[in-house]
C-alpha cells in the first residue's frame, strides 16, 4: 500500500478516536473582568480539545517520514472499515467549511466579511435609522473585527467545532466564544473613544432591522434576547480594564512547535513498532 494512503487511514482512525475522546470537555469560564481577556481565554478552549489529535497526527507523520514507499505492510480490512466513519467526519467538516465560503447569505444590516481582506458592509437602511455618532460607533465595532481578521478566525473556529461533532460541548464552546468576541469588540470600540450608549443604540437598531452578526451565519448565536441584554448592560457600565498583553501568540508558538517536532521525532523512532502492533491487533 502507498505510504500516503496508509498514513491517511491511520490519521483518520487514531486522530478521529482522539478527537471523539476529547470533544466532550466542558467549557470553562475565566470569571469576570474584561471581555477582551475572556475572548482570548475562550479562543484557546476552542482548540485545546484538538491538541491530542494534533500530536497523534504529527507522530504518524514522523513514522511516515521513516517508512519506505510503498509500505511493506498491508492495511487489514477491519482497520480500513473502522477508519471510514472518522474519514466521513473529516469530509463533513471540509464540506461545511467550503460551503460557508460560497453560499449567499443575502442582505445584512452590518457585518465584517472577507477571510484575507476583511471589509465592512453597512446597510443604507441602518444608516437612515441612525445619527452620525451611532453610525461611527457601529463602524468602529466592525473595524475592530476587521483589524483582528475575525471572519477568518470564525471560519477556523467553526471548522474546529465541526471536527468535534457530534459533541454538544464543542458547539457550546463555539457559542460562548462568539459571544465573548462580540463583547470584546464592543470594548475595543469604546476604548477607541466611542460612547457605550451610542453603540448600544446602534445594536438595538440593527437588531430591529433583523440581522446583526459578524458573519450572517452566526446571527442566531448573538441575536438572542438574553445575549442582546447582556451586551447592552455591559455597554452602559464603566469600561473594564484589559489586563496587559502576555504575548500569547509567541508563547503558544514556543510551546506548540517543540511539542509537534518532538512528536514527529518520536514517531520516526517508535512509530514502526506501534503501527506493527496495531496491525497485529486488527489482523
Amino acid at each position: 500500500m502507498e505510504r500516503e494512503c496508509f498514513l491517511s487511514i491511520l490519521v483518520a482512525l487514531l486522530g478521529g478516536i482522539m478527537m471523539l475522546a476529547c470533544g466532550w470537555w466542558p467549557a470553562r469560564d475565566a470569571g469576570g473582568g474584561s471581555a477582551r481577556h475572556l475572548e482570548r481565554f475562550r479562543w484557546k478552549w476552542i482548540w485545546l480539545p484538538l491538541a491530542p489529535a494534533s500530536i497523534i497526527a504529527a507522530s504518524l507523520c514522523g513514522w511516515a517520514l521513516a517508512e519506505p514507499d510503498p509500505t511493506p505492510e498491508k492495511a487489514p480490512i477491519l482497520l480500513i472499515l473502522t477508519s471510514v466513519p472518522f474519514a466521513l467526519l473529516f469530509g463533513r467538516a471540509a464540506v461545511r467549511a467550503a460551503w460557508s465560503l460560497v453560499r449567499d447569505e443575502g442582505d445584512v444590516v452590518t457585518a465584517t466579511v472577507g477571510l484575507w481582506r476583511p471589509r465592512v458592509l453597512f446597510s443604507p437602511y441602518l444608516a437612515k435609522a441612525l445619527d452620525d455618532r451611532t453610525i461611527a460607533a457601529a463602524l468602529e465595532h466592525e473595524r475592530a473585527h476587521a483589524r483582528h481578521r475575525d471572519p477568518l478566525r470564525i471560519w477556523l473556529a467553526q471548522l474546529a467545532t465541526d471536527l468535534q461533532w457530534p459533541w454538544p460541548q464543542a458547539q457550546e464552546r463555539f457559542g460562548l466564544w462568539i459571544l465573548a468576541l462580540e463583547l470584546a469588540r464592543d470594548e475595543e470600540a469604546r476604548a477607541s473613544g466611542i460612547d457605550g450608549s451610542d453603540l448600544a443604540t446602534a445594536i438595538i437598531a440593527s437588531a430591529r432591522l433583523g440581522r446583526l452578526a459578524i458573519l450572517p451565519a452566526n446571527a442566531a448565536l448573538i441575536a438572542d434576547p438574553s445575549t442582546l441584554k447582556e451586551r447592552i448592560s455591559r455597554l452602559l457600565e464603566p469600561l473594564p480594564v484589559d489586563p496587559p498583553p502576555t504575548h500569547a501568540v509567541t508563547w503558544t508558538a514556543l510551546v506548540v512547535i517543540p511539542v509537534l517536532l518532538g512528536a514527529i521525532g518520536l514517531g520516526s523512532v517508535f512509530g514502526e513498532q506501534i503501527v506493527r502492533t496495531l496491525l497485529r491487533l486488527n489482523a
Side-chain angles (χ1 to χ4, degrees), residues 87-103 155 159 162-163:
L88 292 176
L89 173 63
F90 294 150
R92 173 185 179 273
V95 168
R96 283 172 57 86
W99 175 245
S100 69
L101 297 178
V102 299
R103 66 183 172 190
W155 185 79
L159 176 61
D162 287 339
L163 286 172

Side-chain angles (χ1 to χ4, degrees), residues 62 82 108 120 152 194 212 215 259 267:
T82 307
V108 297
V120 175
L152 175 60
I194 294 298
L212 171 65
L215 293 178
V259 168

